[in-house]
Structures are given as structure tokens and as C-alpha cells.
Amino acid sequence: MIPKACRRHKARFCLFGAVILCGLGAALCGCTLSPLATRATAFSTAATAAIAQTTNAYQLVNQSYADAQVAMLVANWDTTPFDASKIKPFIPAKDLEVRTQVLEGLQQYATLLAEVSGKQPISDLETQATAAGNSLVKLQQDDFKGFKIEDQEKNLAVSAIAAIGGVLMEHERARALPGILDKMDKPIQQICKVLEDDIGTPDTPGLADALHRAYDRQIDAQKQFIKDHAASMSAEEKRTEIEELPKLVQGQRQADQALAATAKSLAALASAHAALTATKSQKDAPAFKLEMTQLVQNAQAINGFYLSLSTKK
Amino acid sequence: MPDPPVPAPSATTVNPKQAAFNALKATLKNASDAMNNPANTQAAQAAARALWTETGEQLDALDQAQIADDTVALQAGAAQMTPGMEKLKALKEKISALGNDLKEAASILTGIDKAIAELGALGPF
């Protein structure tokens, strides 16, 4: 006859062993992130940077247009009466609102992709499983003094639960994510193309042309101001005003480059999403990695432009 | 296994505003050259400046028209995102629910504890 305490001890180990084996099996089946989830997370991070810089582009155009209005007002003060109705942002409020909403929508998509693809759900699960294990330890101490569970055993059980949960989550992801990427690709391509065209170049209708000419107006207004007031300026004042001209020319070049890089980044964002969708069932995806490298490089380049512009303000 | 081909971007369509834009840009450049040419008379420079300003305003209007067209296209694109976003939100909720279910782990483990006690009472395995 086996003593009762001994039988209980044996049963405890059998059950915990089963839980742990399940967990280890689950872990071996792949509770780590799948290649698609890893790529979706990488896409999300890079997309966030590109979206933020596009927002900066709209602010840059409106700010430069406002600066040009002020410069022209000063230059033409003696000849043109002030008209308050002409002081307005270049991008009308309703159009800016739509762009802001679309960019927020893209950002929400990138964030959701990261949330469902990343490690956070598994980390949350581990936290919850740990809390559950702690509850159990507390419960035994209070009510089941005869049934001791060591911390090591508790940790193993918690790891097993987290591993099983990880597999279940990955199963859900693998089932739903490819279809979602397929569904989202067409609107993402369309939106990125429209945003890219919206920015355009100084040689096409759009924001880049408006920004380039806003600088042209500032440069012309500055030249006009110097010409009209040179006679009444001291040498030092004249030097200061003249020094503004090359700064404006440099600012125009940088702004042109910033918008060109932003448009390029939007094209890269579309390509990266297309590659993410096209390689959804692939274990290794060199084409996606290439697109991502391009997207990250563009985003970094634009960030440099906007930082340099903002520090000059 | 090589990647499947990435779909090529749709063919670039010609912007119907481009011809008018090109003509205005040419006028703008001529006006700019004339108003900045010191060989021109003051009157010629002033006339060129007036043309430059007026052409710039016409280009502004063309850019604004492009922005308005783009706004409509963006709204259409955003509407197409909705079904995919709904599915993505549902997936997120499903994954969160899996985690939330494990909040019940304490009671499950407690159940194991009780089961052990009951199994132990039954006798040897």
C-alpha cells in the first residue's frame, strides 16, 4: 500500500509534467514569431517613420507659404494695401484634415499590424500567466498547506502556459494575416500613389511646385526689399539683408530635396507593402528585405532633412 | 524558393492639368527673366513683375485644384481600407482574448490542485 501523501506527490508530478511537456512541445512547434509576423513588425516600424515624415511635409509647405506671405507683405507694404483675406494657409483646412485622417489611418494600420504581429501579446500573456502562478502559490499557502509547489515548478508551469498561448496566437495570425494583407494592399497602393502625386515635383502640379514657388516669392520679395531700401540702410543692415538671400536659396534646395525624398519614401512604402503581401507564404523573402532597406534608408534621409530645417527655424 | 514577383505599380496616367501647368511655368520663367534683367526699363521690369505675380497666382490655383482632386482620391482610398482594418481589429481582439482567457489560469491551476487531492483519495495509479 502506497501512503496517501506519496500518491498525492506522485500525481502532482504527473500532472505538472504533462503541462510542462505540452508547453515544451508547443515551444518546439514554434511559439517564436513566424517569418511573416517578423516582416509585418519590421514593415510597421518603417511605415511609422515614413508616415510621420509625410505629415512634416504638409506642415513644411504651409509654413513656407506663410513665410512667403509675410515676406511679400513687407516688400510690397508701400505699394499694395494690406488685405487680411489673402492671409491663409496654402492647403485649405478641409483638405489638410482629409490628409491628416488618411495618414492617421495608415498609422493605425501600421500600429495594429505591429500589435498583432509583435511579441507584445505573448509578453502580456506571460505576465498574466505569472500572475496566475503567483495566485496559485498564495492559494496553497493559505488553503492547501499540504500541497506544496516549489517556485521552480511554478515557473515551469507558467512557461508552459505562455508557450501554449504563443502557439495559439501564432495559429490565429497565420490563419488571418495573409488575407488581411491581401485586402489592404490595393488601398495602400492607391493611397501611397495619390500622396506621392499630391507632393509631386517642382515640374508637376502639386505641393512641391507650390513650395518651390513660395521660396521664389520670398527670394524675390527679399531682393525687392533690398533694392527699395538700400539707400536708407547702414552697411551692416545691408549686409544682414543680403545674407538672407543665399539662406533662402539653400532653404529652397533643402525643401525641394525633403519633398522629393518624402515622395520617394511613399513609393518605397507602397513597394514594401506589396512585397510583404507577395511574400506572405514565404519563409525567407530577400525581395522584401531589399524593399525594407530602401524604405528605412529613405525614412532616415528625410528625417535628416526635416531635422535640419526645424533647427534653422 | 524565390519570391513571387512583386506587382508592378499601375501605369502612369497623364495628368490633364500638366499641359496648362507647363504653359504657365514657361510664362513664369519668361516674366522672371524679364523682371530681373537690368537692361530692361523700369516700366518693362514692373510689367514683367505684374505678369510674374499673376502667373504665380494662376499656378497656385492649379496646385489648389490638384490638391482638391487628390483629396477626393484619398477619401476613396481611405474608404477602401475599412474592411481590411475591421478584420485586423477583429484579429487583434481574438489574440487579446486568448491572453485574457489565461487570466483564468489561476482557477485552472486551482482546479488541478483539487483534482490532485481527489485523485489522491482514490488510491494507487
Side-chain angles (χ1 to χ4, degrees):
Chain A
M1 183 79 181
I2 301 169
K4 197 174 176 182
C6 189
R7 287 202 305 270
R8 184 179 292 180
H9 190 71
K10 190 179 173 186
R12 186 186 74 186
F13 273 104
C14 283
L15 281 170
F16 270 98
V19 171
I20 290 160
L21 278 176
C22 281
L24 289 176
L28 288 172
C29 287
C31 72
T32 52
L33 290 179
S34 70
L36 176 59
T38 306
R39 292 201 288 273
T41 306
F43 169 81
S44 171
T45 307
T48 298
I51 293 161
Q53 301 309 334
T54 308
T55 307
N56 285 343
Y58 289 116
Q59 287 170 353
L60 174 67
V61 172
N62 262 355
Q63 183 58 51
S64 298
Y65 189 74
D67 290 345
Q69 284 179 320
V70 172
M72 287 181 74
L73 182 66
V74 172
N76 300 327
W77 184 256
D78 294 332
T79 54
T80 311
F82 174 63
D83 182 357
S85 69
K86 285 193 173 175
I87 304 296
K88 55 187 177 188
F90 182 75
I91 306 170
K94 66 177 174 56
D95 295 293
L96 188 60
E97 192 183 334
V98 168
R99 280 153 183 78
T100 305
Q101 283 171 353
V102 167
L103 290 170
E104 281 172 359
L106 285 177
Q107 181 58 67
Q108 193 187 5
Y109 174 57
T111 305
L112 274 171
L113 258 189
E115 282 173 357
V116 300
S117 308
K119 288 182 176 168
Q120 193 57 44
I122 295 172
S123 302
D124 289 347
L125 192 152
E126 281 169 352
T127 306
Q128 287 163 355
T130 304
N134 288 339
S135 300
L136 177 60
V137 170
K138 186 175 180 295
L139 196 68
Q140 307 159 35
Q141 285 165 354
D142 295 344
D143 306 321
F144 295 87
K145 287 191 171 60
F147 181 62
K148 294 280 184 193
I149 289 180
E150 302 300 326
D151 272 355
Q152 196 184 356
E153 290 171 332
K154 180 204 77 182
N155 291 340
L156 279 170
V158 165
S159 298
I161 289 166
I164 292 166
V167 168
L168 290 175
M169 284 179 186
E170 189 48 47
H171 176 72
E172 287 297 333
R173 272 201 285 250
R175 207 160 56 96
L177 205 50
I180 291 170
L181 290 173
D182 277 336
K183 206 173 258 300
M184 291 301 282
D185 195 50
K186 191 182 167 194
I188 295 289
Q189 299 301 318
Q190 186 185 340
I191 286 171
C192 287
K193 182 78 175 76
V194 175
L195 288 172
E196 193 188 338
D197 289 348
D198 197 40
I199 290 170
T201 73
D203 298 322
T204 58
L207 296 175
D209 169 62
L211 181 63
H212 189 87
R213 287 186 303 98
Y215 272 100
D216 278 347
R217 280 197 285 262
Q218 285 186 68
I219 291 165
D220 182 66
Q222 183 67 12
K223 278 159 62 179
Q224 193 67 26
F225 181 83
I226 294 167
K227 189 178 162 190
D228 292 347
H229 301 281
S232 61
M233 286 182 198
S234 68
E236 198 55 41
E237 286 169 340
K238 202 169 171 182
R239 177 206 292 269
T240 305
E241 294 303 328
I242 291 168
E243 280 175 350
E244 285 301 309
L245 282 170
K247 284 182 193 169
L248 284 168
V249 172
Q250 195 187 5
Q252 184 179 42
R253 281 191 198 133
Q254 285 184 321
D256 285 349
Q257 286 173 325
L259 286 204
T262 304
K264 205 173 161 188
S265 185
L266 285 161
L269 179 64
S271 293
H273 193 274
L276 178 66
T277 307
T279 61
K280 58 185 179 284
S281 56
Q282 302 294 307
K283 189 177 177 188
D284 198 17
F288 173 76
K289 285 176 188 161
L290 200 66
E291 296 290 353
M292 278 304 297
T293 306
Q294 188 69 41
L295 179 55
V296 170
Q297 280 174 354
N298 283 334
Q300 284 170 345
I302 305 165
N303 195 37
F305 282 127
Y306 287 116
L307 276 177
S308 68
L309 289 172
S310 62
T311 47
K312 283 174 188 163
K313 286 282 173 194
Chain B
M1 190 172 170
D3 292 341
V6 174
S10 58
T12 310
T13 51
V14 178
N15 187 339
K17 296 181 181 65
Q18 192 63 49
F21 178 86
N22 290 344
L24 284 170
K25 282 291 249 192
T27 306
L28 191 77
K29 187 178 184 314
N30 290 338
S32 176
D33 290 345
M35 77 185 190
N36 289 312
N37 186 350
N40 285 341
T41 63
Q42 290 283 333
Q45 284 184 24
R49 178 174 299 282
L51 178 62
W52 183 77
T53 304
E54 188 188 336
T55 309
E57 286 170 359
Q58 288 173 336
L59 278 165
D60 276 353
L62 206 57
D63 287 334
Q64 295 277 2
Q66 182 65 48
I67 287 169
D69 287 354
D70 292 343
T71 298
V72 175
L74 283 172
Q75 283 170 320
Q80 282 188 35
M81 276 179 76
T82 308
M85 287 293 279
E86 293 302 323
K87 281 190 180 295
L88 193 56
K89 283 176 190 167
L91 176 60
K92 189 197 165 193
E93 279 168 20
K94 208 164 191 174
I95 288 174
S96 299
L98 282 173
N100 290 336
D101 286 348
L102 286 164
K103 283 179 182 171
E104 304 300 324
S107 59
I108 293 167
L109 290 173
T110 306
I112 292 171
D113 199 349
K114 285 177 183 169
I116 289 168
E118 285 166 16
L119 283 169
L122 290 175
F125 294 104

